[in-house]
Amino acid sequence: MDGPAASGKGTLAAGLAAHYRLPHLDTGLLYRAVGRAVRNHVDAPDFEARAIAAARALDAAHLAVPDELTTAEAGVLASRVAVVAEVRQAMRQYQRDFAHQPGGAVLDGRDIGTVVCPDADVKLFIVADARARTERRARQFEARGHRVNREALYAQIEERDARDRNNPHGGFYPADDAHLLDTTQLDIEAALRAAIAIVDGAMARKEKP
Ligand code: C5P
């Protein structure tokens, strides 16, 4: 499953994983963990080298601090390390190993259908209007007790969208065989029902002789 920031893909991927009883990897967390590891070196000349070293040293233990990794700042930092080809390369095998475990898995990110798992059984590409995504993300932060400046959040989401879309190493576009799902007008239950219908339909077509 791929899609832009705050498109609902994380929640949908977790919902699909629960529905089909599959393990789930939020690959954005990998990039966020690398971004966090180099957060004090953003303007340093060796920023890229540090990001590459952090990506190569990444293991599951670094992902065990979700609250710090889910801030808007961590998202922006993630998108800065995500433009470094060697950072992406270092994390590709980790993602592929997760995807290829017996029984399968659900992964969400930006390049899952195009680069990480080009042979996935089912690919979903989630889209949603940037204002709707901002509002959703704002409510998530508010539910955690944070005050939110919506215009600043919108600007961050746009900044991240632009960097992700223009990332020459990003693979962030719908694969030819991806199913598009626009969640702008859907609440999470409706979006999950639509995603399950897409997966069931695709699997049924695959299983036909
Ligand atoms: O999905 P999430 O918002 O957590 O991702 C944070 C950032 O990590 C994205 O904006 C993107 O720059 C990067 N990312 C990526 N490829 C992925 C997952 C995330 O480039 N598969």
Side-chain angles (χ1 to χ4, degrees), residues 66-72 137-146:
D67 263 4
E68 289 162 51
L69 293 187
T70 55
T71 62
R137 193 46 60 89
R139 288 189 188 164
Q140 281 171 356
F141 288 139
E142 283 168 352
R144 284 195 231 150
H146 300 298

Side-chain angles (χ1 to χ4, degrees), residues 9 27-28 31-32 75 78-79 82 88 95 109-112 160 164:
K9 68 182 185 317
T27 65
Y31 291 90
R32 286 167 181 263
S79 72
R88 306 194 74 79
Q95 298 172 72
R110 299 290 185 290
D111 58 346
I112 306 303
R160 216 141 60 86
D164 290 344

Side-chain angles (χ1 to χ4, degrees), residues 51-209:
I52 295 165
R56 291 182 178 155
L58 194 71
D59 65 44
H62 294 94
L63 307 178
V65 276
D67 263 4
E68 289 162 51
L69 293 187
T70 55
T71 62
E73 291 73 22
V76 173
L77 272 169
S79 72
R80 295 197 53 161
V81 299
V83 297
V84 182
E86 293 91 333
V87 166
R88 306 194 74 79
Q89 204 181 346
M91 293 194 289
R92 205 166 293 149
Q93 199 53 46
Y94 182 93
Q95 298 172 72
R96 285 189 177 152
D97 290 346
F98 191 92
H100 287 111
Q101 60 189 292
V106 180
L107 285 82
D108 73 271
R110 299 290 185 290
D111 58 346
I112 306 303
T114 50
V115 176
V116 177
C117 301
D119 301 324
D121 284 321
V122 190
K123 299 176 185 175
L124 286 112
F125 194 91
I126 312 300
V127 292
D129 171 82
R131 284 282 171 198
R133 291 188 278 130
T134 303
E135 189 52 36
R136 278 183 204 153
R137 193 46 60 89
R139 288 189 188 164
Q140 281 171 356
F141 288 139
E142 283 168 352
R144 284 195 231 150
H146 300 298
R147 286 173 65 128
V148 177
N149 174 338
R150 280 174 168 63
E151 282 315 304
L153 188 60
Y154 177 72
Q156 272 170 334
I157 284 182
E158 291 266 280
E159 175 191 341
R160 216 141 60 86
D161 279 358
R163 198 175 286 128
D164 290 344
R165 257 196 319 269
N166 300 324
N167 181 351
H169 313 294
F172 180 38
Y173 53 87
D176 287 344
D177 54 347
H179 300 264
L180 286 190
L181 176 57
D182 187 336
T183 65
T184 307
Q185 308 287 345
L186 303 179
D187 63 18
I188 188 60
E189 288 80 17
L192 183 57
R193 277 197 302 275
I196 290 171
I198 290 172
V199 175
D200 285 349
M203 293 308 285
R205 280 193 297 280
K206 253 186 131 61
E207 279 155 20
K208 265 196 196 140

Side-chain angles (χ1 to χ4, degrees), residues 25-39:
L25 179 64
D26 170 353
T27 65
L29 278 184
L30 305 175
Y31 291 90
R32 286 167 181 263
V34 173
R36 185 166 182 279
V38 295
R39 67 190 179 288

